[in-house]
Amino acid sequence: MAEEEVSANLYEEEVRTNQKNRSQGHYAVHGWEFSIGPDTTDTLDIVFPFVIDLLEAHVVSDPDGTGDEVDVVVAPDTIVCALGADANAGDKIITVSDVSYLKLGYLFRVGSEAEHYPYIIAIDELTNQVTLGYATWPGRSAYSGLSQGYSASTPTYCAMTIPMITDFFIVGGESIDLGRSILNTSDLPADTTLRIRYKNNHASNTHKLRFVLEYLY
């Protein structure tokens, strides 16, 4: 059975209420807490069954959590298209069946490619081609292309992930505040996963992560 294609986009827009597929404008705050054992990576998935407008999010770790890592993404590994032509190992420009759900800056996975997924850095709507690459910094090499070849006839499915926090190292006890610097909201479609991944890099201590979300529903 072919995998069903599902799409989700995160849009930043001015606060609006009482519009179709938008929140009703009611304010709410919700908090979650989960524990992560020593030398362990764990995830917390949050799914609302209705549209919400994200206002601010706050990520708080234990005081001794310095050096731990946290990522926050939306719609992780959501299948949005398939390969439109065969791809070879080392390819950075990929032909896909549809680019209508893709945006610059989204993370993109072809087939069974492992993390770290590259960003979409260019989209050609005429040829249905996407160009993939990494953000680079000292110690982080440029994207070297696909790790192996993939066949379009298999078919080979492609997935996107919308990044919010990536490669962030914790300073123990401090709050990571998302959204405070912008005046807009981000619409999160109903039944879309918001995933927090926390990696406890300490050898002996269990750490707690607290995630607080302000939103309109």
Side-chain angles (χ1 to χ4, degrees):
M1 178 182 295
E3 298 185 50
E4 181 182 1
E5 292 187 10
V6 182
S7 67
N9 286 287
L10 190 67
Y11 295 103
E12 291 184 356
E13 306 185 43
E14 295 181 358
V15 176
R16 295 162 301 171
T17 60
N18 297 321
Q19 296 188 32
K20 185 178 180 180
N21 298 323
R22 297 289 183 254
S23 77
Q24 304 165 96
H26 302 307
Y27 176 81
V29 179
H30 198 106
W32 297 264
E33 179 182 87
F34 70 116
S35 298
I36 306 94
D39 283 327
T40 300
T41 299
D42 204 354
T43 59
L44 171 67
D45 284 355
I46 300 168
V47 181
F48 286 87
F50 43 81
V51 175
I52 66 170
D53 291 334
L54 300 177
L55 297 174
E56 290 190 20
H58 312 278
V59 180
V60 185
S61 69
D62 281 347
D64 64 343
T66 297
D68 291 350
E69 301 171 49
V70 64
D71 296 303
V72 179
V73 299
V74 173
D77 279 321
T78 299
I79 294 173
V80 288
C81 59
L83 277 185
D86 292 348
N88 301 311
D91 282 356
K92 301 176 185 178
I93 300 177
I94 312 298
T95 301
V96 297
S97 60
D98 185 13
V99 297
S100 58
Y101 298 120
L102 303 178
K103 304 290 182 183
L104 297 180
Y106 283 5
L107 302 174
F108 194 73
R109 175 177 61 81
V110 177
S112 59
E113 291 290 291
E115 297 184 12
H116 291 283
Y117 303 154
Y119 291 105
I120 298 172
I121 61 174
I123 301 172
D124 188 329
E125 296 181 353
L126 295 178
T127 61
N128 275 3
Q129 289 185 325
V130 295
T131 303
L132 307 177
Y134 284 152
T136 58
W137 52 83
R140 176 71 177 273
S141 301
Y143 180 58
S144 59
L146 297 179
S147 65
Q148 65 184 67
Y150 293 93
S151 170
S153 62
T154 303
T156 297
Y157 292 99
C158 303
M160 71 171 196
T161 298
I162 304 172
M164 294 182 69
I165 299 178
T166 55
D167 300 311
F168 194 93
F169 285 88
I170 292 292
V171 176
E174 292 193 3
S175 174
I176 305 169
D177 300 319
L178 298 175
R180 183 169 295 177
S181 60
I182 62 174
L183 300 177
N184 300 331
T185 65
S186 294
D187 300 331
L188 186 67
D191 301 315
T192 299
T193 299
L194 177 67
R195 174 171 294 169
I196 300 98
R197 183 188 70 88
Y198 193 96
K199 182 179 181 183
N200 182 349
N201 286 322
H202 290 67
S204 57
N205 296 334
T206 294
H207 290 160
K208 288 185 178 180
L209 179 73
R210 297 154 189 90
F211 184 76
V212 180
L213 190 66
E214 298 181 54
Y215 61 94
L216 302 178
Y217 67 93

